Amino acid sequence: LPYAMGGMERAEPTPGDPFFDGSDHRGQMGADVRMGLGSNFRVDMTLNPDFGQVQVDPRVVNLSAYETFYPERRPFFTRDDRALQFDLGGGRNDLFYSRRIGRSPQGNSPSGAEFTTTPGETSILGAGKVTGRTAGGLTVGALGAVTAEERGRAYFEEDGRVERFVAEPRSQYGVFRLRQDLRDAQSRVGGVVTAVNRELSGQEGLAARIPGQAFTGGVDFEHTWADREWLLEGYLAQSYVSGEPDALLRIQQSSTHYFQRPDQDYMTLDPDRTSLSGTEWRLRLARQGGRHWSGNAWVRQRTPGFEVNDLGFSTNRESIGAGGRIGYSQPDPGEIFRSWNVNFNTMHSWRNSVRDDLFSGSAWGDAYRSGSLGLSGRVTFLNYWGLNLDLDYDPETLSDGLTRGGPLMTSPGSRGVRLSGSTDRRDDITYGASVRYDEGLRGGHDFRASFDVSARPSANIAISLDPSYRRTHSVDQYVTRIQDPDFTATYGNRYIFSDLRREEFSLDTRFNYIFSPDLSLEVFAQPLLSVGDYRSFKQLAAPGTFDFHTFQEGNTVEGENGVHCEGGELCRVGDRVHLDFSGNGAPDTTIGDRTFNVRSLRGSAVLRWEYRPGSRVFLVWQQQRSGREFLRDLDLSRDAGALLDASPQNIFIIKVDYWLDI
């Protein structure tokens, strides 16, 4: 399936930017190859692929320390993707996350540059995979990919110099996965190996940021008995990364490790380390086939050095965890309900420091990281409408993440309730709604509401609208860390927090129209309005507590000697916040006020025409509008108007492929 693509970008240029004058053009050629290996296996290959016809990612305002997960949409990687997955415990964690291949370049531009430009994604020179299943029940998945070295350009205004720099090294990726069914598919064993190699020779800047090699391996099993009523499953995974000391130091200090925490002695931050390894395992026993009663219990461990984010995805840190669920369901229709169920679940985790004294209750208490208790119920009415109720309680714990690598800090408990419902999903028009409210036991709250409507007015039209609204008040939003050797209360650093009030509104819209079996249109649009108001600033008073010293706001006096704060420890000039720790009126440091008003619109329209069997033309229009201002409130009319007035970035693509049946 060879293809040819041409594209054009139009946007308002930035004054003085030598790399973009308001328009840009690009062209590309490549091919996809699909070939059968007998009747059970298939080979997929792609050469210089382009995925411009894929739906754009929605905008997310992420204030956490963790990476945002985006689902894979590129057809080469989604095809038969289950054959390559090796799930880790907890949400979307997996040893293989295909969006690492072709990711945005990771290198920094040279310091002092006035303007820089880098590719939006790394070019995939070629990739291939083999998937299939033998008659004996062996499922095989193998993938290999090579990505190009990507270069950026930097402009230095003082001498008009343009410098090229490497933004991403040439890299190779590999995944090999096996799963064997046993006992007529009642049991299964499997294994996986993944590998990443980056060509970093002579690339000092990149070698200091990312490791040169990364490997993971794992084995898993699943065993059912008693007519599949009981299930025992588990996995064991191992990771190994190697590279220059600076790159390994970045990993040790990242949000998935925090080896630098000053109040722990069971993890060692080693600035000279050139490799890191770790293990994760999990066992789960479940009763899944009972008519009424079901449940499970699990236990897992993740050691401090486990790191998979070069080719996998994980936001977990080291821990020992355990949990379980017990549920009762009634599948038989009654006078009101077609079916109903109720479930109780709980989860708890501890830091690996508890291994030093396993038989000490205080050690378990000090190592307690997180926990939750949940009660949920669902009913389905005779007309197939559904209603869900969830109650949650999280106890108070000692968090090792709130200070972003600093000392332990009390994480207040919370309680929450969620109510959701939906109409019969078989109808031509369906509705769903959800409301959730969480309350912090030491202040703060989180309110979320969403509504969705899906309509099929005819067999060839599908429309969906998903508006959502969120309002939160956080009393422990992390802002920054300020080094101060004289402030010994928190180990020579001041950890600055803020009360944060947020409001956010978004509206995901999808419209699909099938004109004929050969012609279709897919449209996606997401307007997003998000506001964050940092109302006060404070510093952690002591490790292991939720005690703060709130900076009293005073008056700003600007004179020949600069800014002074009178009548308080904090004063503001525009979007800058001056902090006076000593109380003499002269600010000791200045930080940015993180208050924001973000407006975003992302959308895409793809017209697909199959002009002959297997051969297609894609006409694509992508548009993005965005803006950010220093405003503390959300005003739908004002902000929506400003969003529509924002200068758009338009991308137009035409892509033609031609199927050759060889």
Side-chain angles (χ1 to χ4, degrees), residues 349 351 368-371 394-399 409-413 544:
S349 70
R351 285 174 283 276
Y368 190 39
R369 165 184 281 157
S370 64
D394 294 345
E396 186 173 281
T397 62
L398 285 175
S399 169
M409 174 178 161
T410 295
S411 176

Side-chain angles (χ1 to χ4, degrees), residues 576-628:
R576 307 299 295 173
V577 177
H578 303 276
L579 299 176
D580 174 20
F581 303 133
S582 60
N584 62 5
D588 295 292
T589 191
T590 300
I591 62 176
D593 189 336
R594 309 294 179 85
T595 293
F596 62 85
N597 182 305
V598 171
R599 305 140 180 174
S600 170
L601 174 62
R602 292 188 176 186
S604 62
V606 180
L607 183 67
R608 171 188 167 276
W609 174 38
E610 188 168 350
Y611 61 93
R612 64 184 298 271
S615 303
R616 299 156 300 181
V617 175
F618 297 95
L619 297 177
V620 183
W621 173 35
Q622 297 177 358
Q623 184 179 103
Q624 298 188 28
R625 297 171 183 255
S626 63
R628 179 171 182 149

Side-chain angles (χ1 to χ4, degrees), residues 114 191 325 594 643:
E114 186 71 18
R325 178 191 67 85
R594 309 294 179 85
L643 176 60

Side-chain angles (χ1 to χ4, degrees), residues 471-512:
R471 184 179 70 246
T472 65
H473 175 207
S474 173
V475 296
D476 56 1
Q477 175 62 44
Y478 179 83
V479 177
T480 190
R481 173 180 63 91
I482 299 172
Q483 293 184 348
D484 186 348
D486 296 328
F487 192 71
T488 59
T490 50
Y491 304 96
N493 291 284
R494 297 177 184 268
Y495 297 91
I496 309 301
F497 292 81
S498 174
D499 285 352
L500 172 65
R501 294 184 182 271
R502 288 190 64 186
E503 280 190 275
E504 188 168 280
F505 174 79
S506 66
L507 176 60
D508 290 4
T509 305
R510 290 175 173 83
F511 173 78
N512 295 336

Side-chain angles (χ1 to χ4, degrees), residues 318-568:
E318 55 85 19
S319 66
I320 297 173
R325 178 191 67 85
I326 185 169
Y328 181 86
S329 63
Q330 175 54 266
D332 299 325
E335 295 182 358
I336 300 176
F337 304 127
R338 182 170 297 276
S339 63
W340 59 270
N341 64 67
V342 61
N343 291 275
F344 171 77
N345 62 81
T346 184
M347 180 280 295
H348 305 273
S349 70
W350 296 262
R351 285 174 283 276
N352 276 277
S353 60
V354 75
R355 294 184 300 172
D356 297 336
D357 196 356
L358 287 173
F359 301 101
S360 169
S362 61
W364 284 93
D366 293 341
Y368 190 39
R369 165 184 281 157
S370 64
S372 67
L373 300 170
L375 181 66
S376 63
R378 173 178 174 81
V379 298
T380 301
F381 296 94
L382 295 178
N383 61 356
Y384 290 97
W385 287 33
L387 190 65
N388 301 272
L389 176 65
D390 300 278
L391 303 174
D392 300 297
Y393 171 75
D394 294 345
E396 186 173 281
T397 62
L398 285 175
S399 169
D400 50 26
L402 285 176
T403 57
R404 311 284 174 92
L408 293 176
M409 174 178 161
T410 295
S411 176
S414 66
R415 53 182 172 241
V417 57
R418 176 178 179 267
L419 181 65
S420 62
S422 62
T423 62
D424 186 353
R425 293 299 183 182
R426 302 172 303 170
D427 293 342
D428 292 337
I429 301 179
T430 64
Y431 305 92
S434 174
V435 177
R436 181 179 182 94
Y437 183 80
D438 293 281
E439 179 183 45
L441 301 183
R442 296 209 191 187
H445 63 264
D446 185 357
F447 171 78
R448 301 178 230 184
S450 62
F451 179 77
D452 67 85
V453 55
S454 299
R456 285 189 171 274
S458 64
N460 62 329
I461 298 176
I463 305 170
S464 68
L465 297 173
D466 301 296
S468 64
Y469 173 76
R470 184 174 185 180
R471 184 179 70 246
T472 65
H473 175 207
S474 173
V475 296
D476 56 1
Q477 175 62 44
Y478 179 83
V479 177
T480 190
R481 173 180 63 91
I482 299 172
Q483 293 184 348
D484 186 348
D486 296 328
F487 192 71
T488 59
T490 50
Y491 304 96
N493 291 284
R494 297 177 184 268
Y495 297 91
I496 309 301
F497 292 81
S498 174
D499 285 352
L500 172 65
R501 294 184 182 271
R502 288 190 64 186
E503 280 190 275
E504 188 168 280
F505 174 79
S506 66
L507 176 60
D508 290 4
T509 305
R510 290 175 173 83
F511 173 78
N512 295 336
Y513 190 96
I514 300 175
F515 298 93
S516 70
D518 301 328
L519 184 65
S520 63
L521 174 67
E522 295 182 1
V523 179
F524 168 77
Q526 185 226 24
L528 171 72
L529 305 175
S530 183
V531 173
D533 180 9
Y534 288 75
R535 294 203 164 193
S536 64
F537 293 88
K538 51 193 176 182
Q539 68 182 7
L540 181 65
T545 71
F546 199 71
D547 299 333
F548 298 97
H549 171 73
T550 301
F551 300 112
Q552 298 300 315
E553 188 159 354
N555 298 317
T556 303
V557 178
E558 297 185 74
E560 296 181 357
N561 297 325
V563 174
H564 277 68
C565 300
E566 289 190 353

